[in-house]
């Protein structure tokens, strides 16, 4: 079975628009009244998500590679592009005191962890999982060579233009050391994504948990992580708690996914459930609280939360229905657990 060309293009466009919608609007960073700015954000967020997905799929790789590439994207956006992890003034601060500043570099360790969690999961992986649910051949590329090259160019231009705008607005430019360290970390993640091979583990007999349990677990883990960032702690205790929470959430997620996805019954419905659980964290509580912190008015915060929350729910239901239909039509055969 092959996916028609127009359908592939539609999915690519859908991912380009969904990535900034989830990454900024469902998060609550930008109010619903400014949704037209999704077109401005699309080259960076959408281009990044599409580039991550297409590169992994063109290489014949699965979700381990996608996750590692998504982490590289997170460091690109918040490092060399908008320089949030370099510049305390980005958050209106005088210094990174209390944000785990890395000695000698002026890079906030706290913001690096926050960026990795936010963009890896929500800006890249959640949109990819939801859009791929509409593809009967989700491991196949959507773009031909010209489309792939165009995606690279658009993403690069988006990075340059946003980086220039941020540097001009904030009157800040990071040091050579900051850019070099960031580039080394980004390169390491990309290389890890290129070298990781499939399958990581061998399939085993037995049924995976129900998709509902998978969704609830994803919601609990992601919510628990964000709650940990608001613990009433200061100084080293706050930094330690954030590092532990990041490692714990990541470790639990990897362990559960490797355990569950090894079972033959693991399929696209479970991947939709993972995305749904993570999206619910933003839609139900983190997005509205973030909107309030960003200074969005109370009524507009409520309207945005309702509209984007309902939109996320409808998309998940449609993706789930699509996956169920594809699963019912497909012949029974073992699947690659991490594809």
């Amino acid at each position: 079975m092959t996916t028609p060309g127009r359908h592939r293009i539609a999915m690519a466009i859908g991912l380009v628009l969904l990535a900034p919608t989830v990454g900024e609007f469902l998060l609550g960073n930008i109010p619903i009244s400014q949704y037209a700015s999704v077109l401005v954000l699309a080259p960076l967020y959408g281009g990044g998500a599409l580039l991550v997905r297409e590169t992994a799929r063109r290489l014949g790789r699965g979700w381990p590679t996608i996750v590692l590439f998504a982490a590289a994207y997170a460091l690109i956006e918040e490092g060399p592009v908008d320089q949030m992890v370099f510049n305390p003034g980005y958050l209106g601060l005088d210094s990174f005191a209390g944000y785990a500043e890395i000695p000698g570099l002026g890079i906030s360790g706290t913001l690096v962890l926050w960026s990795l969690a936010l963009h890896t999961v929500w800006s890249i992986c959640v949109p990819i999982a939801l859009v791929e649910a509409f593809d009967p051949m989700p491991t196949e590329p959507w773009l031909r060579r010209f489309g792939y090259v165009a995606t690279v160019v658009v993403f690069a231009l988006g990075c340059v233009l946003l980086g220039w705008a941020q540097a001009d607005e904030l009157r800040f430019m990071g040091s050579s050391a900051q850019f070099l360290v960031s580039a080394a970390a980004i390169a390491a993640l990309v290389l890890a994504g290129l070298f990781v091979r499939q399958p990581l583990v061998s399939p085993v007999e037995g049924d995976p948990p129900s998709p509902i349990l998978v969704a609830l677990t994803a919601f609990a883990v992601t919510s628990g992580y964000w709650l940990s960032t608001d613990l009433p702690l200061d100084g080293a205790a706050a930094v330690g708690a954030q590092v532990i929470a990041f490692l714990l959430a990541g470790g639990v997620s990897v362990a559960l996914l490797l355990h569950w996805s090894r079972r033959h019954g693991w399929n696209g419905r479970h991947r939709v459930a993972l995305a749904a659980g993570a999206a619910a964290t933003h839609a139900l509580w983190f997005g509205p609280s973030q909107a309030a912190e960003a200074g969005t008015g109370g009524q507009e915060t409520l309207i945005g939360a309702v509209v984007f929350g309902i939109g996320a729910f409808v998309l998940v239901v449609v993706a789930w229905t699509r996956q169920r239909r594809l699963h019912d039509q497909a012949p029974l055969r073992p699947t690659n657990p991490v594809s």
Side-chain angles (χ1 to χ4, degrees):
M1 181 189 301
T2 59
T3 306
R6 277 186 284 185
H7 185 57
R8 292 198 304 266
I9 294 173
M11 287 186 293
I13 294 172
L15 179 57
V16 166
L17 296 176
L18 184 61
T21 300
V22 174
E24 289 290 347
F25 294 94
L26 188 64
L27 173 63
N29 267 351
I30 304 177
I32 190 172
S33 60
Q34 299 178 26
Y35 187 67
S37 64
V38 72
L39 298 177
V40 177
L41 297 170
L44 176 66
Y45 279 85
L50 186 58
L51 183 60
V52 165
R53 192 264 172 197
E54 286 298 293
T55 302
R57 295 315 189 189
R58 291 171 76 89
L59 292 171
R61 308 295 173 79
W63 277 97
T65 294
I66 290 175
V67 170
L68 288 166
F69 285 174
Y73 167 88
L75 295 186
I76 290 172
E77 177 177 337
E78 304 297 4
V81 175
D82 68 20
Q83 302 187 70
M84 182 184 74
V85 300
F86 303 161
N87 181 15
Y90 188 97
L91 301 179
L93 304 172
D94 295 326
S95 72
F96 279 139
Y99 284 80
E101 181 175 346
I102 300 174
L105 289 177
I107 296 175
S108 168
T110 296
L111 293 180
V112 168
L113 295 181
W114 183 85
S115 301
L116 283 170
L118 176 66
H119 293 303
T120 301
V121 176
W122 284 274
S123 297
I124 304 297
C125 290
V126 166
I128 289 175
L130 290 177
V131 177
E132 280 195 343
F134 294 89
D135 191 352
M137 301 289 288
T139 61
E140 296 297 318
W142 294 334
L143 303 176
R144 299 188 186 277
R145 181 177 299 176
F146 176 80
Y148 181 77
V149 172
T151 301
V152 174
V153 172
V154 169
F155 175 66
L157 286 175
C159 289
V160 170
L161 291 175
L162 180 59
W164 175 83
Q166 292 284 49
D168 182 66
E169 178 183 353
L170 298 175
R171 303 297 178 184
F172 176 87
M173 182 59 66
S175 67
S176 298
Q178 289 172 328
F179 279 96
L180 287 173
V181 168
S182 296
I186 292 164
L189 288 168
V190 171
L191 288 174
L194 291 173
F195 283 104
V196 68
R197 295 290 181 178
Q198 292 178 246
L200 297 178
V201 289
S202 301
V204 297
E205 297 297 329
D207 296 327
S210 70
I212 292 178
L213 178 58
V214 172
L216 291 174
T217 303
F219 176 71
V221 171
T222 53
S223 294
Y225 172 73
W226 287 122
L227 284 171
S228 72
T229 63
D230 290 328
L231 290 174
L233 299 172
D234 295 315
V239 174
Q242 290 163 7
V243 171
I244 291 172
F246 182 86
L247 295 176
L248 184 61
V252 168
S253 299
V254 171
L256 286 176
L257 287 175
L258 288 178
H259 177 67
W260 288 344
S261 66
R262 295 175 66 192
R263 304 186 180 279
H264 287 295
W266 183 268
N267 55 47
R269 291 175 294 179
H270 294 91
R271 288 187 282 275
V272 171
L274 283 171
T281 293
H282 276 190
L284 295 178
W285 69 270
F286 189 66
S289 67
Q290 182 72 8
E293 290 184 12
T296 304
Q299 184 176 5
E300 191 170 15
T301 296
L302 178 61
I303 294 173
V306 170
V307 171
F308 290 118
I310 291 176
F313 176 77
V314 170
L315 180 60
V316 166
V317 170
V318 176
W320 167 268
T321 303
R322 175 66 171 168
Q323 274 299 305
R324 185 173 183 178
R325 186 179 299 118
L326 290 173
H327 181 267
D328 291 341
Q329 294 173 350
L332 294 176
R333 62 181 183 271
T335 60
N336 192 320
V338 290
S339 63

